[in-house]
Amino acid sequence: MPLNAGPLGSEMSRFEFNSVLVSIMLAFAAAELVTAWGRVLREPRRFGFSWQFALLSIWLLLVLVSHWFGLWSYREVPFDAMFHSLFVLLPALTLALLAHVLTPQLDLKGPGALQQHYLSVSRTVLLLAGLVQLLSTLTDVALPGVLDDAPPGYFIATALSFFAIAFTSRLFFHTVVLGGNAAISAVVMAVVRT
């Protein structure tokens, strides 16, 4: 049943209604990411540079864009049950939370504050990154009428790679996995068409 959107009799479909809510969550995530980058660029001497932070934030940006673009796959979902809306919202909500946790605080002490921040939040943000991937594939599988769903194996492999490095402090592994995931996300973004 369409939702009435205004006095002119125009109606908003349930897909459009849910898309707006998801878009707002993705906008919160994007705003947090821009805040993080702005803080680092404003005070480069204090924050320094962290390959792991840079690669994770690039992956996050690519996933934000891909997720928003992928909303079109849900245009035929009936959204006649509340859990349909919840499933579509959860990945975006998790992305917003990930971006918020990843954003360094203004009171961090330098030099090298960005690397210290990454190390202090890495387990949390990597678990959230893996959760985003699992929730994304769960949404594709659980909802009726999803068009052009991505292969679950891609999401599961990415999630497992994040979970694996969340429990190690060896930054070499973090760099390799984060770099690989960012590169794969860039390739997917370059080749996927609808």
Side-chain angles (χ1 to χ4, degrees), residues 13-47:
S13 72
R14 289 177 185 238
F15 165 70
E16 293 167 333
F17 181 79
N18 282 282
S19 294
V20 169
L21 187 56
V22 171
S23 296
I24 290 169
M25 281 295 114
L26 294 177
F28 284 144
E32 282 290 339
L33 188 57
V34 170
T35 297
W37 289 345
R39 286 179 182 172
V40 171
L41 292 173
R42 187 180 302 135
E43 297 186 67
R45 286 189 185 167
R46 176 160 65 106
F47 283 104

Side-chain angles (χ1 to χ4, degrees), residues 37-102:
W37 289 345
R39 286 179 182 172
V40 171
L41 292 173
R42 187 180 302 135
E43 297 186 67
R45 286 189 185 167
R46 176 160 65 106
F47 283 104
F49 184 78
S50 166
W51 275 108
Q52 297 78 28
F53 177 89
L55 292 169
L56 183 56
S57 64
I58 289 168
W59 175 85
L60 179 57
L61 174 66
L62 295 172
V63 169
L64 284 170
V65 173
S66 298
H67 192 76
W68 187 80
F69 186 76
L71 283 176
W72 190 241
S73 296
Y74 302 111
R75 65 190 178 275
E76 298 299 325
V77 173
F79 291 106
D80 55 0
M82 278 194 225
F83 80 88
H84 294 167
S85 297
L86 178 64
F87 276 0
V88 169
L89 180 63
L90 280 176
L93 184 63
T94 307
L95 281 167
L97 184 59
L98 190 165
H100 181 73
V101 174
L102 186 62

